[in-house]
Structures are given as structure tokens and as C-alpha cells.
Amino acid sequence: MSIVYQMISNAIRNGRLEEPFTSYDFRQACPGLGKGTYNAFLWKHRLGNPGRYNEYFKKVSPGKFRLLRTPR
């Protein structure tokens, strides 16, 4: 499982990140990662993204995501 996914999951569990969240919210709750991570991680690992990526998030509205409780 991805370290970044674990950081997001912990931030939600600890109340630092509320769902649904944006990449900006992710950046505020989980500082210290590279700019590219904040710009791409949620989109890359969303449910239904074509490619061979682990699906960790569901896009619920433009630019907003929820954590999938059971990563696929």
C-alpha cells in the first residue's frame, strides 16, 4: 500500500482532512510531499482511471475525492 495513501487515510482518521477533499486540502493536511504528488496522486489513483494503478479514491464532484474504504 502506498505511503501517500496511508498519510491521507491517517489525516482523515485524525480529523485533519475532511471528505470530500481537493488536492489543496490534501496539501494542507499532508505537507512535505513534492508538488507533482499533490497535482497527480488523487487523479492517478481514482476509481476507473485507465491504466494499471491502485484505486484509492472516488471522484465525487469536479476536483473532489473520497477515500475508497477498501483499496482495489
Side-chain angles (χ1 to χ4, degrees):
M1 188 167 302
S2 164
I3 291 171
V4 177
Y5 168 79
Q6 290 175 357
M7 289 174 70
I8 294 170
S9 180
N10 288 337
I12 291 170
R13 189 173 30 259
N14 295 329
R16 293 188 325 269
L17 183 61
E18 293 183 21
E19 295 180 280
F21 53 89
T22 65
S23 58
Y24 177 80
D25 300 329
F26 164 36
R27 181 185 313 246
Q28 298 298 350
C30 304
L33 300 171
K35 182 178 179 181
T37 300
Y38 298 113
N39 290 336
F41 191 81
L42 301 175
W43 295 93
K44 180 176 167 183
H45 292 282
R46 75 185 186 282
L47 183 65
N49 183 28
R52 299 176 64 153
Y53 303 106
N54 291 324
E55 294 174 326
Y56 297 135
F57 310 101
K58 180 178 181 180
K59 185 177 169 209
V60 294
S61 64
K64 292 192 176 191
F65 298 85
R66 288 191 177 276
L67 191 67
L68 290 175
R69 296 303 179 213
T70 305
R72 298 174 188 205

